Amino acid sequence: MNIKEFPQAVINENVDYTVKEITNVIKRYGPRESGNENCLATQKHIKKEMDTFCDETGFETYKMAPKAFLHFTKTVSAAIILSVVVCLILTFTNVFAEVGPSPFFVPTCIVGGIVAVSLFITVMEFLLYKQFCDAFYKKKEAHNFYAKRKPTGEVKRRIIISGHCDSAYEWRHIYYSKKKPLFGPIMGLSIVSAVISFVVAIITIIANFADMGAFGEFVVNYGYYWHCVTALAMIPLFFFVDFNTLSPGANDNLTGTYAAVCALRMLDMAGVEFENTEVVAMITDGEEAGLRGCKQWAKDHKKEYTEEGVDTAILCVDTLADLGYFNVYSKDMSGTVKHDSAFSQLVKDSAEDAGYDDLKFANVFFGSSDAAAFSQTGIKATCLAAMDPSPADYYHNRRDSYDRLVPEAIKEGYEIVLSTILNFDEKGSENK
C-alpha cells in the first residue's frame, strides 16, 4: 500500500480525534512540567487507549532534574550582575588602588573569569545539551511510554514515531512581545556582550605583560565599563524564563505526541499489517528539560537499535502547527548534530508521495529536538516539524493552547508520517 491508497476517512477521523484528545488532555491534566504527575497522567491516559490496538505497551522510568537545563539563565546572569556591582563598589572604595597598572585591572579580571565560567555553562547546557548542572538540582522520577505494533513475521525493520508530552516553562520575552519577538535580540545581546567582556578581560591581562600601546592602555583603564554593559544585558536574561508558568503545550508538543499515537491507530483502523516491520510509538518526558527522556532512552536502547540486526530508525515529530513551515530537520542542536541523511531523504520523499513537494531540509539553528539525542548516540533519526522558526508567537508560552490547533497542519503531518511508515516498510532506512 502507498499513501495514495490509504483511506482518507481514517486520516480525517484521526485528525478530529486528535483535536478532541488534545483539548481533553489540557482541560483534564493541565500544563505538564517535565517529570511531574501531569505528564505521567497523560501517558497513562494514552496507554489506556493504545492498549486496545497495540500488541505491547509499557513504561520505562528514569530520574531527571526538570529545572537543571534552563535555570542556568538565572544563575549565570545573577553571578555576572553581582560580580560587576561588588567589584565596582570595591574599586571606588580604593580596595584595588595599589594593585596592578589600574584600579580596574583586578576587577576586570575577576569579572572576566566569572563571565568565562558562565559562557562555559551556557555552551554545555544550551548549545551541547550536556547534563552539566543536574548534580546541583533535585531529581524527580520521570517516565517514557512506548507502544508496539508487531509484524506478522520476523522483525527485520523497526520504525519509531516519537513525540514528547511535557510542556515548556514560559519564555516571557516571546509572550509579552507577541508578534515582534524580542527573544533573538535579547539573547543575542546577552551572549555578544558576555563574549566581548571575556575578550576585554583577556586583552587586559595581555596588556599588563606586553606593550599594546594606546589601545592596551585604554582597555586597562576603561574596559571595565563594558562589564557594566554586560551586567545590564544580563537583567532581561535573568527574567527570561518564568518557572512558575507553564505552556499548555497543545502544539508543542501534543501534536507530535498524537502523531505517534495516531500513526498506530490509523494503521489499525485501516487494517494494515506488515510482514517484517515493527511500528513503535514513543511518548517521552523531559524534552523541555534538555532532551533528558530521549537521552535516557537512547542510552538504554543503543545496542538494540544499532547492533542487533534490525534496521531501526526514529522519526521525531515536534509541533504540527504552521502551514508553510513544514521541514525535515536534517541538522539539529544548533547545527552541531547531523541526522541520518538517507532516512531524512526518505521522509522528504515520502512527503512528496503524499502530495507535499515543498518540504525542505532545515537546521534547528537555536535549540534542539529529541532526534538529536538519538543521532548523537549513533541511532538513525530525523525530525519533522511545522513551526515558524522566528519563533511562533505561541512558542513556549501560555498562548499554545487547544484554541491554536490547526487541523490542516495536523492532517498534513499525519499523511507525511503515514507515507514514511509505508515507504520504510518497503525500502528500509537506507531508502533503496
Side-chain angles (χ1 to χ4, degrees):
M1 176 184 285
N2 60 50
I3 188 61
K4 295 297 185 183
E5 299 169 329
F6 201 91
Q8 277 293 312
V10 170
I11 298 173
N12 292 335
E13 194 279 336
N14 275 269
V15 172
D16 292 340
Y17 167 82
T18 295
V19 172
K20 292 175 183 176
E21 277 292 282
I22 291 176
T23 302
N24 180 36
V25 165
I26 292 174
K27 287 183 176 180
R28 187 171 180 179
Y29 305 113
R32 300 160 308 284
E33 180 186 27
S34 303
N36 80 353
E37 62 277 4
N38 289 351
C39 274
L40 180 57
T42 297
Q43 290 170 322
K44 287 181 176 179
H45 174 88
I46 290 169
K47 181 183 187 300
K48 185 176 180 180
E49 170 69 15
M50 298 195 80
D51 281 339
T52 64
F53 56 85
C54 293
D55 298 304
E56 179 185 337
T57 64
F59 289 95
E60 292 190 5
T61 303
Y62 68 101
K63 296 284 188 179
M64 62 163 291
K67 290 185 170 67
F69 172 52
L70 283 176
H71 206 262
F72 81 90
T73 57
K74 293 192 180 296
T75 55
V76 303
S77 55
I80 292 172
I81 293 168
L82 187 62
S83 66
V84 169
V85 172
V86 170
C87 284
L88 197 62
I89 292 172
L90 294 175
T91 299
F92 283 104
T93 54
N94 297 318
V95 172
F96 302 116
E98 304 299 326
V99 184
S102 161
F104 283 115
F105 175 74
V106 172
T108 300
C109 295
I110 291 173
V111 175
I114 291 172
V115 168
V117 172
S118 298
L119 285 171
F120 178 75
I121 292 172
T122 302
V123 168
M124 294 297 286
E125 282 290 348
F126 201 73
L127 182 63
L128 302 179
Y129 281 67
K130 301 292 185 181
Q131 298 180 28
F132 187 71
C133 298
D134 290 48
F136 304 103
Y137 292 85
K138 183 178 179 180
K139 290 182 171 60
K140 293 183 177 181
E141 186 173 85
H143 304 80
N144 291 321
F145 167 74
Y146 69 89
K148 296 180 181 180
R149 185 173 172 83
K150 297 180 180 179
T152 57
E154 178 188 359
V155 178
K156 297 180 180 179
R157 291 174 294 276
R158 178 189 298 111
I159 185 167
I160 301 168
I161 312 301
S162 175
H164 69 87
C165 67
D166 57 318
S167 56
Y169 299 115
E170 182 162 273
W171 290 10
R172 286 188 177 100
H173 306 329
I174 296 178
Y175 177 69
Y176 288 109
S177 60
K178 297 184 180 180
K179 292 187 178 181
K180 294 183 179 179
L182 298 174
F183 169 71
I186 288 173
M187 292 299 289
L189 176 63
S190 300
I191 294 170
V192 170
S193 63
V195 170
I196 294 175
S197 275
F198 175 68
V199 172
V200 165
I202 296 297
I203 293 173
T204 299
I205 294 171
I206 294 173
N208 186 51
F209 298 100
D211 185 7
M212 298 182 69
F215 172 71
E217 184 177 344
F218 176 83
V219 173
V220 169
N221 289 315
Y222 300 103
Y224 189 84
Y225 291 107
W226 183 263
H227 287 338
C228 297
V229 173
T230 299
L232 292 174
M234 292 298 127
I235 294 173
L237 180 63
F238 182 83
F239 292 103
F240 175 55
V241 181
D242 180 0
F243 288 98
N244 295 316
T245 304
L246 286 157
S247 163
N251 289 293
D252 182 16
N253 186 35
L254 286 179
T255 55
T257 292
Y258 276 91
V261 172
C262 289
L264 275 63
R265 189 173 187 265
M266 288 185 287
L267 292 174
D268 179 73
M269 291 175 67
V272 176
E273 296 281 353
F274 295 129
E275 183 178 355
N276 301 113
T277 300
E278 179 180 78
V279 186
V280 181
M282 179 169 59
I283 313 302
T284 64
D285 183 3
E287 195 271 357
E288 301 294 3
L291 319 183
R292 298 313 194 241
C294 270
K295 280 179 175 286
Q296 187 66 48
W297 188 276
K299 178 182 177 181
D300 293 342
H301 293 267
K302 179 180 179 179
K303 183 176 181 180
E304 176 188 0
Y305 291 170
T306 61
E307 300 177 12
E308 295 187 356
V310 176
D311 182 11
T312 300
I314 302 176
L315 176 57
C316 293
V317 184
D318 198 326
T319 310
L320 301 175
D322 297 333
L323 291 166
Y325 289 97
F326 265 93
N327 290 310
V328 178
Y329 284 89
S330 56
K331 290 185 178 180
D332 214 318
M333 200 171 281
S334 302
T336 64
V337 173
K338 184 177 180 181
H339 295 313
D340 185 81
S341 57
F343 185 55
S344 296
Q345 186 66 54
L346 176 70
V347 177
K348 187 175 183 294
D349 292 344
S350 299
E352 292 178 4
D353 291 345
Y356 305 108
D357 56 4
D358 56 347
L359 270 73
K360 297 180 178 63
F361 291 125
N363 173 24
V364 182
F365 62 89
F366 196 83
S368 184
S369 78
D370 267 339
F374 295 113
S375 290
Q376 282 184 316
T377 315
I379 300 168
K380 295 174 185 176
T382 196
C383 176
L384 174 70
M387 189 190 78
D388 179 358
S390 58
D393 73 318
Y394 57 81
Y395 181 65
H396 284 197
N397 65 73
R398 69 195 77 174
R399 278 192 287 267
D400 189 13
S401 194
Y402 50 83
D403 62 327
R404 295 296 298 271
L405 293 170
V406 182
E408 296 83 2
I410 295 171
K411 181 179 180 180
E412 181 172 337
Y414 283 14
E415 290 179 340
I416 294 170
V417 169
L418 274 174
S419 183
T420 299
I421 293 171
L422 295 170
N423 283 336
F424 182 85
D425 174 61
E426 179 184 346
K427 304 174 183 180
S429 66
E430 297 301 321
N431 197 17
K432 294 179 180 179

